Amino acid sequence: MNNTRYSSAGLIIRQREPKNLETPFDRIDSYLTPTALFYIRSHFPRPTLDRASYQLRIDGAVRHPFALNYEQLRNMPSETRVATLECAGNSRVFLVPQVQGAQWELGAAGNAEWTGVPLRALLERAGLADDACEIVLEGADRGAPKEEPRPPNPISYVWSLPRAKAIQPEVLIAYQMNGQDLPLDHGFPVRAIVPGHYGMASVKWLTRIEAVRDPFHGYWQTTDYAYWALTNGKPVRRALGEMKLKSEIARPRIYETLVPNRIYTVSGAAWAGESDVTEIQVSTDGGLAWAEAEFLDPVRRHAWRRWKFDWLTPKEPGQYTLLARAKDASGAFQPYDHDQAYGGYAINHCLSIEVFIEGSG
Amino acid sequence: MNNTRYSSAGLIIRQREPKNLETPFDRIDSYLTPTALFYIRSHFPRPTLDRASYQLRIDGAVRHPFALNYEQLRNMPSETRVATLECAGNSRVFLVPQVQGAQWELGAAGNAEWTGVPLRALLERAGLADDACEIVLEGADRGAPKEEPRPPNPISYVWSLPRAKAIQPEVLIAYQMNGQDLPLDHGFPVRAIVPGHYGMASVKWLTRIEAVRDPFHGYWQTTDYAYWALTNGKPVRRALGEMKLKSEIARPRIYETLVPNRIYTVSGAAWAGESDVTEIQVSTDGGLAWAEAEFLDPVRRHAWRRWKFDWLTPKEPGQYTLLARAKDASGAFQPYDHDQAYGGYAINHCLSIEVFIEGSG
């Protein structure tokens, strides 16, 4: 039953339609996640956009609204950046008791190279109004969302960025991923890439960029990708944004069985939102003792850093708990426990990876 | 980031607690599924049973109720049988729209060798009453189930077998799996193995065998693992039982990318309930044309047969849909569509495996 090695090993299905597919994270071997292995997160059935008729409108609180076709966008000066995307619900399966939603393990995260036009350049060309406070990104994907309270009619997938983030140079209106045209499931022909923010901000199948003068309180910002934050002691509904500091153990895989008394290279990747990952520590005894891991990749803002740690596995058979924790440039570590305020999102606590050391039997 | 090859590659987490873990089905390479790769289906937190104090009661509608300790059970004449277990909800992720429950892909199924005492021998020793109609198997796992209607208080996991099945020689009260003592998550120290029936019948952590004179209408039989069957035109609630004829494609994995114009060995496994799998056909064009696959394993009632099919992949890049269908001894094939009457269970239609043939790019 052997086969020659092929280019992709396939994705884990979390939901079949719309497609929500996860990278088998233990197969991550490269700095850039191969496109075919990159996780797919969809809210609605995939829209079919045609390159020939594609139009991107830039309007709202701007002095010169305009539209671009695909060729015009491709002919603008472009930039290529590496950025890690993580779905805000990544690692949800680690929450006990179980929380509703796709039961992502570790692989709703990936690191790719994105090519496109900085959103800033488009906003400058349109003449962004001084009093515009948010930039609303609208995708061509539409449907009826599920969570309450929900709007009475089908809606598009829409996400708004604070102006301060939208005008940063790293935010791209992208048409390439890893040097190739965007695949259909990754937003063909054009998507937003918002490095440092959870994936919900990187709107796929992008057709409209609208500047607004009042904060946009759409379904996704208020119902779905939102949480209760305390402001002066009162809970207020707030949209998710910046990714939290996080490290993940790619290998060994959870519940994997390892050989005793042998060097096993524990490996993983770590990322942060608007900070840098400066250190990784690994524990092989459930958090009692910690040792420093070695980085495989340099610091690059908004991109992950892979790391490794050579572990001499115990001689004693049994169950062992591995943990990894990242430190950011401010000196802060990941938390030990999930912040319940976020519900099924922003799961960045140290994730326990239980493994078995096999006996002689 | 390379590692020596270890004994297990880990399982996919569908639910972390209680543990519901899936075999990555594309890694199936052997007739017997290695124990560490065998799927785990749990309804409640794992009970801890002690071998020294373990007791198995056989009572109810019997002339001589008795109890056995672990050593006494081990000292009875034993049998070793190969049997495929499949969770009744296996392949649920293929249902569109999505149905509640663990989103199993293909790997809530496995084939192992089980060693234990035939249930029949225990029932004979107890003197089964002539009018006993079912045998109720009770596990030590307890909790509050979730689906409505649900009982007011926590319950044990309990399943009843029709008498006719319970007295078949293949039904084992097992203490070994693949030649080793049962692992904790697979029912240590003792479980039932009911070959030919969905996994819910193979009660783990078995502590009681009770013969009853009236059909047992417990939560699991009536609410959870049950469906509406038409009897004389009226829907009646019926418990699941015999596994349905099914084949699964293990490789390629869904959404895998393959090289054009090369031989790729499509492979998988097929099983049936109380029949034999006699033929496998494979389609690589979504069901227009079918070709016969080759079996790797002989016919053995209640055990799966692996199969393979050498596919010359197309030269043309694009998406292709693979299907496999099994035929049983009666000449019947698997259905093309899921029988909606079963809801999220008994999913045995031909499952579409979409793959991509890569371009030259």
Side-chain angles (χ1 to χ4, degrees):
Chain A
M1 290 175 104
N2 285 324
N3 280 304
T4 331
R5 230 182 141 63
Y6 287 93
S7 54
S8 151
L11 297 159
I12 298 168
I13 311 180
R14 296 296 175 186
Q15 187 178 359
R16 184 154 162 97
E17 187 53 49
K19 270 191 202 165
N20 284 289
L21 308 179
E22 178 170 345
T23 305
F25 207 65
D26 60 318
R27 299 195 192 178
I28 290 301
D29 258 316
S30 51
Y31 178 57
L32 297 181
T33 307
T35 301
L37 269 184
F38 206 95
Y39 79 96
I40 294 172
R41 168 78 180 105
S42 314
H43 299 92
F44 298 125
R46 184 177 76 199
T48 306
L49 295 182
D50 179 35
R51 211 181 303 199
S53 63
Y54 175 78
Q55 287 265 317
L56 176 62
R57 268 189 299 155
I58 296 100
D59 60 9
V62 297
R63 286 185 292 279
H64 318 293
F66 67 101
L68 283 170
N69 65 27
Y70 183 75
E71 280 310 310
Q72 289 167 326
L73 183 72
R74 292 281 308 229
N75 288 334
M76 288 184 69
S78 71
E79 289 198 17
T80 295
R81 289 178 177 270
V82 176
T84 295
L85 295 191
E86 183 189 13
C87 173
N90 189 32
S91 309
R92 186 177 287 137
V93 82
F94 284 90
L95 300 182
V96 176
Q98 196 173 22
V99 174
Q100 245 196 326
Q103 297 297 307
W104 305 107
E105 206 164 320
L106 300 166
N111 192 53
E113 194 179 74
W114 310 96
T115 301
V117 175
L119 173 57
R120 177 157 76 172
L122 296 171
L123 295 174
E124 280 172 5
R125 182 164 154 188
L128 182 63
D130 291 343
D131 58 350
C133 72
E134 288 185 2
I135 306 299
V136 179
L137 305 172
E138 183 170 341
D141 44 334
R142 285 180 73 78
K146 282 189 209 146
E147 286 178 59
E148 298 291 347
R150 61 201 185 96
N153 294 310
I155 56 169
S156 300
Y157 185 76
V158 174
W159 190 258
S160 65
L161 293 181
R163 178 191 181 112
K165 179 67 181 178
I167 60 173
Q168 294 304 314
E170 68 268 15
V171 179
L172 295 181
I173 304 306
Y175 44 77
Q176 285 201 326
M177 176 180 187
N178 292 332
Q180 304 280 332
D181 291 350
L182 284 175
L184 298 178
D185 287 308
H186 290 290
F188 176 88
V190 174
R191 70 176 298 174
I193 291 294
V194 184
H197 280 213
Y198 283 117
M200 81 262 137
S202 293
V203 176
K204 299 194 284 187
W205 309 292
L206 185 74
T207 53
R208 188 176 177 198
I209 298 169
E210 183 191 9
V212 293
R213 292 190 167 86
D214 294 302
F216 177 74
H217 294 148
Y219 168 82
W220 309 98
Q221 271 81 9
T222 58
T223 301
D224 190 342
Y225 293 114
Y227 62 102
W228 292 106
L230 281 185
T231 299
N232 299 326
K234 292 192 185 62
V236 295
R237 202 70 181 152
R238 186 173 294 165
L240 292 167
E242 187 183 343
M243 288 194 293
K244 293 186 175 290
L245 177 67
K246 184 168 183 179
S247 57
E248 292 192 350
I249 295 174
R251 283 196 290 264
R253 194 162 166 158
I254 194 163
Y255 305 127
E256 190 166 335
T257 302
L258 309 180
V259 173
N261 198 33
R262 196 178 298 184
I263 296 293
Y264 182 96
T265 303
V266 180
S267 61
W271 54 90
E274 308 290 359
S275 184
D276 297 323
V277 176
T278 58
E279 189 179 327
I280 301 293
Q281 294 181 358
V282 172
S283 171
T284 59
D285 59 5
L288 297 173
W290 295 86
E292 202 170 328
E294 183 187 332
F295 283 112
L296 301 180
D297 304 312
V299 170
R300 196 185 221 175
R301 178 65 54 91
H302 302 133
W304 73 21
R305 299 182 76 181
R306 289 169 305 147
W307 52 265
K308 74 181 184 81
F309 174 76
D310 287 334
W311 179 32
L312 175 60
T313 58
K315 288 176 187 158
E316 201 64 35
Q319 184 175 313
Y320 292 83
T321 298
L322 306 187
L323 297 166
R325 60 179 182 185
K327 189 159 94 172
D328 71 13
S330 78
F333 276 107
Q334 290 176 246
Y336 281 104
D337 295 306
H338 176 55
D339 184 343
Q340 299 292 339
Y342 289 105
Y345 290 122
I347 299 143
N348 80 320
H349 63 291
C350 296
L351 301 169
S352 295
I353 302 296
E354 281 111 30
V355 297
F356 304 100
I357 300 298
E358 66 184 17
S360 45
Chain B
M1 292 174 102
N2 283 326
N3 280 302
T4 332
R5 223 171 149 69
Y6 286 93
S7 54
S8 153
L11 297 160
I12 298 167
I13 311 181
R14 296 295 174 185
Q15 186 178 359
R16 184 153 161 96
E17 186 53 48
K19 269 191 203 163
N20 284 289
L21 308 179
E22 178 170 344
T23 304
F25 207 66
D26 60 317
R27 300 194 191 178
I28 290 301
D29 258 317
S30 51
Y31 178 57
L32 297 181
T33 307
T35 302
L37 268 184
F38 206 95
Y39 80 96
I40 294 172
R41 169 78 181 107
S42 314
H43 299 91
F44 299 125
R46 184 179 74 201
T48 307
L49 295 182
D50 180 35
R51 209 180 304 198
S53 62
Y54 174 79
Q55 287 264 315
L56 176 62
R57 269 189 298 155
I58 296 98
D59 60 8
V62 297
R63 286 184 292 279
H64 320 292
F66 67 101
L68 282 171
N69 66 27
Y70 183 74
E71 280 311 309
Q72 289 167 328
L73 184 72
R74 294 279 311 226
N75 288 333
M76 288 183 69
S78 71
E79 289 198 17
T80 295
R81 288 178 177 271
V82 175
T84 295
L85 295 190
E86 182 189 14
C87 173
N90 189 32
S91 309
R92 186 178 287 136
V93 83
F94 285 89
L95 300 182
V96 177
Q98 195 174 25
V99 173
Q100 245 196 327
Q103 296 297 306
W104 305 108
E105 206 165 318
L106 299 167
N111 192 52
E113 194 179 75
W114 310 95
T115 302
V117 176
L119 172 57
R120 176 157 75 171
L122 296 170
L123 295 174
E124 279 172 5
R125 182 164 153 187
L128 182 63
D130 291 342
D131 58 350
C133 71
E134 290 186 2
I135 307 299
V136 179
L137 305 171
E138 183 170 342
D141 45 333
R142 283 180 73 78
K146 284 190 206 141
E147 286 178 59
E148 299 290 350
R150 60 202 185 95
N153 294 309
I155 56 168
S156 300
Y157 184 75
V158 173
W159 191 258
S160 65
L161 293 181
R163 179 193 180 113
K165 178 67 181 176
I167 60 172
Q168 294 304 314
E170 68 268 15
V171 180
L172 296 181
I173 304 306
Y175 43 78
Q176 285 201 327
M177 176 181 186
N178 292 332
Q180 303 280 330
D181 291 351
L182 283 175
L184 299 178
D185 287 308
H186 290 289
F188 176 89
V190 174
R191 71 175 298 173
I193 291 293
V194 184
H197 280 213
Y198 284 116
M200 80 266 137
S202 294
V203 176
K204 299 194 284 187
W205 309 293
L206 184 74
T207 53
R208 189 176 176 196
I209 298 169
E210 183 192 9
V212 293
R213 292 193 168 85
D214 294 302
F216 178 73
H217 294 147
Y219 168 81
W220 309 98
Q221 271 81 9
T222 58
T223 302
D224 190 342
Y225 292 114
Y227 62 102
W228 292 107
L230 282 186
T231 299
N232 299 326
K234 293 193 185 63
V236 295
R237 203 69 182 152
R238 186 173 295 165
L240 293 167
E242 186 183 345
M243 290 195 293
K244 292 185 175 293
L245 176 67
K246 184 169 182 180
S247 57
E248 292 192 349
I249 295 174
R251 284 196 289 264
R253 195 162 166 157
I254 193 163
Y255 305 126
E256 190 166 336
T257 302
L258 308 180
V259 174
N261 199 31
R262 196 178 297 185
I263 296 292
Y264 182 95
T265 302
V266 179
S267 61
W271 54 90
E274 308 290 359
S275 184
D276 296 321
V277 176
T278 57
E279 189 179 329
I280 301 293
Q281 295 181 357
V282 172
S283 171
T284 59
D285 59 5
L288 297 174
W290 295 86
E292 201 171 329
E294 182 187 332
F295 283 111
L296 301 180
D297 305 312
V299 170
R300 198 186 219 173
R301 179 64 55 90
H302 302 133
W304 73 21
R305 299 182 76 181
R306 290 169 305 146
W307 53 264
K308 74 181 183 79
F309 174 76
D310 286 334
W311 179 32
L312 175 60
T313 58
K315 289 176 185 157
E316 201 62 35
Q319 183 175 312
Y320 292 82
T321 298
L322 306 187
L323 298 165
R325 60 178 183 186
K327 188 159 93 173
D328 71 14
S330 79
F333 276 106
Q334 292 176 244
Y336 281 104
D337 295 306
H338 176 55
D339 184 342
Q340 299 292 338
Y342 290 104
Y345 290 121
I347 299 142
N348 79 320
H349 64 291
C350 296
L351 302 169
S352 295
I353 302 295
E354 282 110 31
V355 298
F356 305 101
I357 299 298
E358 67 183 17
S360 46

